[in-house]
Amino acid sequence: MLTPDAVIAVIGSGTMGAGIAQVAASAGHAVWLYDIQPGAAKRAIDGIDTALSARVAKGKLDDASRQSTLARLHPAETLADLAQAELAIEAAAEQIDIKQAIFRDLAAVCGADTVFASNTSSISITAIASGISHPARVVGLHFFNPAPVMKLVEVVSGLETSPEIAERLCELALRWGKQPVRCHSTPGFIVNRVARPFYAEAWRALEEQVAPAAAIDAALRDGAGFPMGPLALTDLIGQDVNFAVTCSVFNAFWQERRFLPSLTQQELVLGKRLGKKTGQGVYRWPLEAKPEYQPQMSEEFAAKQVTQSGKTLELDGIVVAITSGMTATAMSAELKRPVVLRDRLAESALEVLAPSASVTPQQLAKVTHYFQRQGKQVLVINDYPGMLAWRTVAMLANEALDALQKGVAGEADIDTAMQLGVNYPQGPLAWGARLGWQNVLTLLENLQRHYGEERYRPTSLLRQRALLENQHEH
């Protein structure tokens, strides 16, 4: 079953369907592409030809490979043309009734052992399989856009999915040059669920006017190593698409507050400011927004006395510490000293600072000068608990632990999915361990105390890991 010469059917010839068909045909399979719109499958195959020809022109593919891949692609006139398929991959609209109808119709023409895979990104595999004969053969095979380029494939098991079939699809994905991760059917699977805080915390910072959009994005991109800031990324994805996924996950989790959609993002969607595709979203496109770094401070602001204990600095009586989820003002009231907090996860060329209300412009200039002397660019934001990068990564790690605790996927698969699916610099579980589970827990507890909201509630697995970490240290 599902040998290298198995016949593959792809239903739906949009961007994802065409991309999946290209991947299967490039791997040596005969592929039948079907679309409900007459002529759409043929146009999609022409589009694949254009994409492959561009690769030939760049010297990334030889013309013989292009021709043999195209020879394996066939447009199907009717669903009956797919009768020989050993694997049928559905990439139609994200509506459960459409997906169920496709598989019901396929079940009538294909053999009982044809594997039915859905490329859904948000619909329950259990629900899709529920109306179909032999539901054990229904599985999620979630590719990421663009399918020919992105390595990750989420192999999703519903309640009825045969473990053997899921295993065979993982082997197939590997043969196709993809990296499969196994998970159970749950809203958002791995990537679309665990990634929610990356966007949510940025929207919240924007709503609370902590800093301009370009500064929020710079803190996460240049300060934490994400390939792109979250707000620019939502503009690139499309505000309507990103908002719809957030709403879908929020509602699927019975309005769990961690997934609360943003009113600011909703306003952009209502105003048709959808991002790059409309020329205006959070930003105007083409994107030219730059954060306002602190100007270069002169030597007159050099601190006379500098002491360091652990990660805390003291510059002429000003306490400079890494955020632990308290505001700088709350910490200043506790210590009865001026406080400047740092949003520092690792070595980076950017230093993000938040001063307490008691810090004077001269004192802030001293701290700025100190970091500029070390060759850093300095970005100052308003006093904000947990700041930007630390708070986002803590929430990502907490969400990943929640998925792990609930058996959605294994630890290695969660981290692999986030690195390959959304290009995070580290998997959130490895990242949390490196930052220290106790540090992550303290930050979230301080956020929960500050806001009085369950949004920042630490998972019980986080508490357990922090306890174990403390025991190992003593």
PDB file of all heavy atoms in Angstrom, residues 321-334:
ATOM      1  N   ALA A 321      17.327  45.473  35.275  1.00  0.00           N
ATOM      2  CA  ALA A 321      17.095  44.024  35.442  1.00  0.00           C
ATOM      3  C   ALA A 321      16.299  43.472  34.268  1.00  0.00           C
ATOM      4  O   ALA A 321      15.583  44.207  33.580  1.00  0.00           O
ATOM      5  CB  ALA A 321      16.337  43.776  36.749  1.00  0.00           C
ATOM      6  N   ILE A 322      16.405  42.161  34.074  1.00  0.00           N
ATOM      7  CA  ILE A 322      15.602  41.492  33.029  1.00  0.00           C
ATOM      8  C   ILE A 322      14.180  41.323  33.552  1.00  0.00           C
ATOM      9  O   ILE A 322      13.976  41.015  34.733  1.00  0.00           O
ATOM     10  CB  ILE A 322      16.242  40.143  32.644  1.00  0.00           C
ATOM     11  CG1 ILE A 322      17.573  40.419  31.925  1.00  0.00           C
ATOM     12  CG2 ILE A 322      15.321  39.318  31.745  1.00  0.00           C
ATOM     13  CD1 ILE A 322      18.436  39.211  31.688  1.00  0.00           C
ATOM     14  N   THR A 323      13.199  41.542  32.712  1.00  0.00           N
ATOM     15  CA  THR A 323      11.801  41.462  33.131  1.00  0.00           C
ATOM     16  C   THR A 323      11.450  40.107  33.750  1.00  0.00           C
ATOM     17  O   THR A 323      11.927  39.073  33.288  1.00  0.00           O
ATOM     18  CB  THR A 323      10.839  41.747  31.954  1.00  0.00           C
ATOM     19  OG1 THR A 323       9.493  41.652  32.432  1.00  0.00           O
ATOM     20  CG2 THR A 323      11.014  40.740  30.812  1.00  0.00           C
ATOM     21  N   SER A 324      10.617  40.161  34.780  1.00  0.00           N
ATOM     22  CA  SER A 324      10.111  38.911  35.377  1.00  0.00           C
ATOM     23  C   SER A 324       8.585  38.950  35.406  1.00  0.00           C
ATOM     24  O   SER A 324       7.944  38.222  36.149  1.00  0.00           O
ATOM     25  CB  SER A 324      10.660  38.742  36.793  1.00  0.00           C
ATOM     26  OG  SER A 324      10.166  39.805  37.604  1.00  0.00           O
ATOM     27  N   GLY A 325       8.015  39.864  34.593  1.00  0.00           N
ATOM     28  CA  GLY A 325       6.554  39.931  34.511  1.00  0.00           C
ATOM     29  C   GLY A 325       5.931  41.018  35.381  1.00  0.00           C
ATOM     30  O   GLY A 325       4.750  41.300  35.262  1.00  0.00           O
ATOM     31  N   MET A 326       6.710  41.642  36.270  1.00  0.00           N
ATOM     32  CA  MET A 326       6.213  42.816  37.015  1.00  0.00           C
ATOM     33  C   MET A 326       6.458  44.041  36.134  1.00  0.00           C
ATOM     34  O   MET A 326       7.329  44.016  35.276  1.00  0.00           O
ATOM     35  CB  MET A 326       7.006  43.010  38.318  1.00  0.00           C
ATOM     36  CG  MET A 326       6.732  41.992  39.389  1.00  0.00           C
ATOM     37  SD  MET A 326       7.897  42.205  40.765  1.00  0.00           S
ATOM     38  CE  MET A 326       7.162  43.601  41.639  1.00  0.00           C
ATOM     39  N   THR A 327       5.731  45.119  36.378  1.00  0.00           N
ATOM     40  CA  THR A 327       6.078  46.365  35.686  1.00  0.00           C
ATOM     41  C   THR A 327       7.319  46.950  36.363  1.00  0.00           C
ATOM     42  O   THR A 327       7.611  46.637  37.534  1.00  0.00           O
ATOM     43  CB  THR A 327       4.928  47.398  35.771  1.00  0.00           C
ATOM     44  OG1 THR A 327       4.690  47.702  37.151  1.00  0.00           O
ATOM     45  CG2 THR A 327       3.658  46.887  35.114  1.00  0.00           C
ATOM     46  N   ALA A 328       8.026  47.806  35.645  1.00  0.00           N
ATOM     47  CA  ALA A 328       9.197  48.490  36.222  1.00  0.00           C
ATOM     48  C   ALA A 328       8.752  49.360  37.401  1.00  0.00           C
ATOM     49  O   ALA A 328       9.451  49.467  38.408  1.00  0.00           O
ATOM     50  CB  ALA A 328       9.874  49.336  35.150  1.00  0.00           C
ATOM     51  N   THR A 329       7.555  49.955  37.275  1.00  0.00           N
ATOM     52  CA  THR A 329       7.044  50.839  38.337  1.00  0.00           C
ATOM     53  C   THR A 329       6.742  50.051  39.613  1.00  0.00           C
ATOM     54  O   THR A 329       7.047  50.505  40.723  1.00  0.00           O
ATOM     55  CB  THR A 329       5.801  51.594  37.827  1.00  0.00           C
ATOM     56  OG1 THR A 329       6.180  52.332  36.658  1.00  0.00           O
ATOM     57  CG2 THR A 329       5.247  52.550  38.863  1.00  0.00           C
ATOM     58  N   ALA A 330       6.171  48.846  39.462  1.00  0.00           N
ATOM     59  CA  ALA A 330       5.886  47.997  40.634  1.00  0.00           C
ATOM     60  C   ALA A 330       7.193  47.572  41.303  1.00  0.00           C
ATOM     61  O   ALA A 330       7.308  47.588  42.535  1.00  0.00           O
ATOM     62  CB  ALA A 330       5.086  46.768  40.210  1.00  0.00           C
ATOM     63  N   MET A 331       8.195  47.243  40.493  1.00  0.00           N
ATOM     64  CA  MET A 331       9.484  46.830  41.048  1.00  0.00           C
ATOM     65  C   MET A 331      10.173  48.007  41.739  1.00  0.00           C
ATOM     66  O   MET A 331      10.772  47.863  42.809  1.00  0.00           O
ATOM     67  CB  MET A 331      10.358  46.287  39.923  1.00  0.00           C
ATOM     68  CG  MET A 331      11.519  45.463  40.403  1.00  0.00           C
ATOM     69  SD  MET A 331      12.528  44.973  38.996  1.00  0.00           S
ATOM     70  CE  MET A 331      12.607  43.251  39.252  1.00  0.00           C
ATOM     71  N   SER A 332      10.031  49.189  41.127  1.00  0.00           N
ATOM     72  CA  SER A 332      10.621  50.406  41.692  1.00  0.00           C
ATOM     73  C   SER A 332      10.000  50.727  43.059  1.00  0.00           C
ATOM     74  O   SER A 332      10.704  51.105  44.002  1.00  0.00           O
ATOM     75  CB  SER A 332      10.398  51.558  40.703  1.00  0.00           C
ATOM     76  OG  SER A 332      10.748  52.774  41.277  1.00  0.00           O
ATOM     77  N   ALA A 333       8.677  50.533  43.172  1.00  0.00           N
ATOM     78  CA  ALA A 333       7.987  50.787  44.454  1.00  0.00           C
ATOM     79  C   ALA A 333       8.479  49.809  45.524  1.00  0.00           C
ATOM     80  O   ALA A 333       8.624  50.177  46.699  1.00  0.00           O
ATOM     81  CB  ALA A 333       6.477  50.650  44.259  1.00  0.00           C
ATOM     82  N   GLU A 334       8.767  48.587  45.107  1.00  0.00           N
ATOM     83  CA  GLU A 334       9.240  47.559  46.035  1.00  0.00           C
ATOM     84  C   GLU A 334      10.668  47.854  46.501  1.00  0.00           C
ATOM     85  O   GLU A 334      10.984  47.755  47.681  1.00  0.00           O
ATOM     86  CB  GLU A 334       9.212  46.201  45.318  1.00  0.00           C
ATOM     87  CG  GLU A 334       8.696  45.067  46.152  1.00  0.00           C
ATOM     88  CD  GLU A 334       8.500  43.795  45.325  1.00  0.00           C
ATOM     89  OE1 GLU A 334       9.505  43.208  44.889  1.00  0.00           O
ATOM     90  OE2 GLU A 334       7.335  43.408  45.121  1.00  0.00           O
TER      91      GLU A 334
END
